[in-house]
């Protein structure tokens, strides 16, 4: 059933402030420079980036090894590192670690599927994903996924190829049935950038069953575009997907499965290329006015009603999917990035907006409620005036919902890069800082954090430093953040 702008405006008028507060019990204002809707009773949202003495884990302590600054009592272990650790086959761990998910493994082990964001021809990269026999989609492509098994006590690590011959594997998403959906952030077609097949698809990787990954097949029903992340609504079976693109800005998508389809391991790859319906959002504010871009929201707690518009040509045979819509047909957003399913809906990141967008910001996190068909702005970061200074947070990318409350967010901004937490009442705190300078002393440069995710038992926070490619396991006195 369509949610028209008149319906949404009528609902807003009828329920008054109730609609404006949908999902906002957990409204998050973030970091110095953040924009908050209004102060909570505790005043936390009025003091973004600052909390009481019990918030967080204390100041970050510089790492003498120059890799990761952590609070007192915390430690890290390097799980994989490009050029140093090896796959089962003897080849180097591939570079450019990105989206990651964790799964329960055998004998108390943790399994991780790790994307490697490698685009263009294989000759471009010293350490592409090896073309493992039977696991290759396109022999011209550099990217893919590896599967990492970490033993119960962390004293043994094994890594192997999950899929190869894919391109620019950025983020993705864990499925309720225990697999990983890896997303290609590219629109390269065969004959371009060394590719021998079309790219811009989603593939399924099973960390438990190596045979299931043989003869990779793209899930064309989910569309061909610059994919970023994906989540699954376990109740309705819908998939939500983000697109990281500009000129024009990208889209959030919803895929509705065909009637009678039942999800499960390997089921998505059996779908016809045109199975189900791929849709893009059309948003309205509480007054029933069309919203052209999510950057229009300048206060946390902003709620938009969402209608869904069918995509004309999901395989983008001649025109990119996002360019198939005229102005006024759909709602766009810049740098749609990480997603996470929790609390009955999808958390969705827009990493930043600049001159290409109606309003500039340094990051948003939205929450889509499928029951109410609303998007609520949870996090809004104002433009960081000096990214070279420590303290402010900008450019959210991969996110996860913490078992200790709130969100954990990986930065992909300018300057200094952090992992930081955001509580439900609007306070933020640092968890880690990247200290690996890949630039020079005169012009330091720090790679983004990616793939932030907790182990299944919640004891370990895994995260990656994308360049050169390091997977880290962080442990310490985790506690509930209130």
């Amino acid at each position: 059933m369509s949610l028209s702008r008149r319906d949404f405006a009528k609902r807003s008028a009828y329920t008054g402030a109730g609609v404006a507060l949908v999902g906002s019990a957990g409204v998050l204002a973030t970091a110095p420079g953040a924009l908050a809707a209004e102060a909570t009773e505790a005043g936390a949202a009025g003091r973004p980036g600052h909390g009481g003495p019990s918030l967080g884990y204390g100041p970050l302590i510089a790492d003498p090894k120059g890799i990761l600054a952590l609070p007192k009592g915390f430690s890290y272990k390097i799980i994989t590192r490009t050029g140093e650790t090896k796959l089962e086959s003897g080849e180097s761990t591939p570079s450019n670690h990105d989206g990651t998910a964790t799964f329960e493994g055998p004998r108390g082990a943790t399994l991780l599927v790790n994307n490697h964001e490698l685009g263009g021809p294989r000759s471009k990269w010293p350490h592409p994903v090896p073309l493992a026999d039977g696991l290759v989609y396109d022999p011209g492509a550099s990217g893919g996924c590896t599967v990492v098994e970490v033993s119960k006590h962390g004293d043994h690590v094994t890594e192997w190829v999950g899929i190869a011959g894919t391109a620019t594997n950025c983020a993705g998403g864990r499925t309720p049935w225990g697999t990983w959906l890896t997303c290609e952030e590219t629109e390269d077609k065969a004959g371009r950038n060394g590719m021998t097949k079309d790219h811009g698809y989603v593939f399924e990787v099973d960390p438990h069953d190596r045979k299931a990954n043989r003869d990779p097949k793209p899930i064309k029903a989910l569309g061909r575009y610059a994919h970023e992340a994906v989540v699954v609504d376990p109740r309705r079976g819908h998939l939500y997907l983000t697109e990281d693109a500009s000129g024009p800005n990208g889209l959030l998508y919803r895929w509705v499965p065909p009637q009678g389809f039942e999800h499960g391991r390997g089921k998505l790859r059996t779908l016809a290329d045109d199975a189900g319906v791929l849709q893009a959002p059309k948003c309205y504010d509480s007054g029933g006015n069309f919203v052209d871009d999510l950057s229009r929201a300048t206060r946390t707690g902003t709620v938009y009603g969402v209608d869904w518009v069918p995509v004309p040509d999901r395989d983008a045979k001649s025109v990119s999917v996002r360019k198939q819509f005229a102005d006024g047909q759909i709602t766009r957003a810049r740098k749609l990035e990480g997603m996470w399913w929790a609390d009955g809906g999808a958390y969705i990141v827009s990493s930043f907006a600049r001159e290409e967008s109606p309003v500039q910001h340094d990051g948003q996190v939205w929450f889509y409620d499928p029951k109410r068909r609303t998007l609520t702005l949870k996090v809004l970061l104002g433009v960081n005036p000096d990214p070279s200074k420590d303290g402010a947070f900008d450019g959210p990318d991969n996110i996860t919902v913490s078992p200790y409350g709130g969100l954990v967010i990986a930065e992909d901004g300018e300057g200094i890069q952090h992992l930081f937490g955001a509580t439900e009442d609007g306070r933020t705190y640092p968890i880690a800082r990247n200290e690996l300078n890949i630039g020079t002393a005169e012009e330091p440069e720090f790679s983004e954090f990616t793939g932030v995710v907790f182990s299944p038992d919640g004891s370990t926070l895994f995260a990656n430093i994308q360049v050169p490619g390091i997977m880290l396991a962080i442990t310490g006195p985790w506690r509930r953040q209130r």
Side-chain angles (χ1 to χ4, degrees):
M1 180 178 65
S2 172
L3 177 66
S4 70
R5 60 182 179 180
R6 180 178 296 177
D7 293 337
F8 184 65
K10 183 177 180 181
R11 181 194 297 178
S12 302
Y14 180 76
T15 59
V19 165
L21 295 176
V22 167
S24 65
V27 164
L28 302 168
T30 66
L35 303 176
E38 58 186 73
T40 63
E41 291 184 6
R47 300 191 305 275
H50 302 280
S54 63
L55 177 66
Y57 302 98
L60 302 180
I61 301 171
D63 179 9
K65 297 180 179 179
I67 295 178
L68 196 68
L70 293 168
K72 183 179 179 180
F74 283 77
S75 62
Y76 70 88
K77 181 176 181 179
I78 293 177
I79 302 300
T80 67
R81 183 167 184 164
T82 304
E84 294 186 12
T85 56
K86 303 290 185 182
L87 304 180
E88 282 183 341
S89 58
E91 294 143 308
S92 170
T93 293
S95 64
N96 292 60
H97 296 32
D98 211 294
T100 307
T102 58
F103 306 83
E104 292 184 1
R107 299 176 295 281
T110 297
L111 294 173
L112 301 100
V113 183
N114 186 201
N115 276 2
H116 298 277
E117 190 180 16
L118 299 163
R122 297 182 65 79
S123 59
K124 178 181 175 181
W125 304 100
H127 301 291
V129 177
L131 298 176
D133 184 48
L135 300 175
V136 180
Y137 169 65
D138 179 352
S142 308
C145 299
T146 53
V147 182
V148 180
E149 182 176 317
V150 182
S151 64
K152 182 177 181 179
H153 302 293
D155 54 351
H156 184 72
V157 176
T158 307
E159 185 178 16
W160 61 91
V161 174
I163 189 173
T166 51
T168 320
N169 298 69
C170 197
R174 190 187 193 281
T175 69
W177 50 91
T179 62
W180 170 249
L181 297 177
T182 183
C183 296
E184 294 187 306
E185 188 190 339
T186 181
E187 295 181 60
D188 282 350
K189 286 188 172 185
R192 182 180 178 186
N193 286 331
M195 303 298 102
T196 66
K197 293 184 178 181
D198 291 352
H199 290 266
Y201 295 115
V202 178
F203 296 78
E204 187 169 19
V205 177
D206 192 328
H208 305 279
D209 184 356
R210 301 194 194 197
K211 291 182 179 180
N213 299 325
R214 297 187 67 82
D215 301 319
K217 180 183 178 183
I219 307 167
K220 293 188 176 183
L222 302 181
R224 194 183 71 81
Y225 46 89
H227 286 271
E228 181 70 28
V230 56
V231 295
V232 181
D233 180 341
R235 181 178 177 184
R236 299 165 184 84
H238 298 167
L239 273 65
Y240 296 90
L241 309 102
T242 49
E243 178 183 31
D244 182 1
S246 61
N249 284 347
L251 301 171
L252 171 69
Y253 297 94
R254 181 178 75 170
W255 179 76
V256 179
Q259 187 173 5
F261 177 76
E262 294 184 5
H263 283 292
R265 274 193 168 92
K267 293 291 186 65
L268 288 170
R269 64 182 289 166
T270 68
L271 288 165
D273 293 349
D274 61 352
V277 181
L278 187 67
Q279 305 164 316
K282 186 173 186 178
C283 297
Y284 304 95
D285 66 18
S286 59
N289 303 300
F290 168 68
V291 179
D292 62 339
D293 194 284
L294 293 182
S295 69
R296 295 285 186 188
T298 59
R299 293 169 64 89
T300 55
T302 297
V303 181
Y304 293 147
V306 182
D307 206 352
W308 293 96
V309 182
V311 168
D313 173 20
R314 73 182 83 185
D315 203 48
K317 292 178 179 62
S318 58
V319 178
S320 296
V321 173
R322 71 186 184 282
K323 297 178 180 180
Q324 296 172 23
F325 296 96
D327 292 343
Q329 288 186 298
I330 42 80
T331 300
R332 303 183 183 276
R334 182 72 171 99
K335 288 290 289 181
L336 287 167
E337 298 270 3
M339 304 178 77
W340 196 267
W341 184 272
D343 305 324
Y347 289 91
I348 304 160
V349 170
S350 171
S351 194
F352 65 78
R354 291 294 183 266
E355 290 79 6
E356 79 291 324
S357 302
V359 181
Q360 296 188 33
H361 62 74
D362 255 345
Q364 297 176 326
V365 180
W366 293 84
F367 180 79
Y368 179 71
D369 183 335
K371 183 177 180 181
R372 297 178 181 270
R373 286 176 291 164
T374 55
L375 274 168
T376 301
L377 183 59
K378 294 286 192 175
V379 177
L380 177 58
L381 285 78
V383 175
N384 187 352
D386 190 354
S388 66
K389 291 184 178 180
D390 197 9
F393 306 129
D394 58 75
D397 195 326
N398 291 171
I399 60 170
T400 188
V401 171
S402 171
Y404 304 97
L407 303 174
V408 176
I409 301 172
E411 266 191 297
D412 178 17
E414 299 178 12
I416 297 173
Q417 307 292 339
H418 301 87
L419 297 175
F420 67 95
T423 66
E424 292 185 353
D425 61 1
R427 297 169 296 163
T428 61
Y429 57 94
I431 296 174
R433 181 178 63 243
N434 179 8
E435 297 198 325
L436 183 61
N437 182 6
I438 57 175
T440 65
E442 294 75 23
E443 297 184 7
E445 181 182 352
F446 302 92
S447 176
E448 66 180 282
F449 279 108
T450 63
V452 59
V453 61
F454 278 91
S455 59
D457 66 1
S459 65
T460 303
L461 179 65
F462 292 95
N464 308 311
I465 296 175
Q466 186 174 71
V467 178
I470 302 175
M471 178 184 287
L472 301 156
I474 302 169
T475 55
W478 303 109
R479 66 174 183 271
R480 185 77 179 172
Q481 296 297 321
R482 300 183 183 279

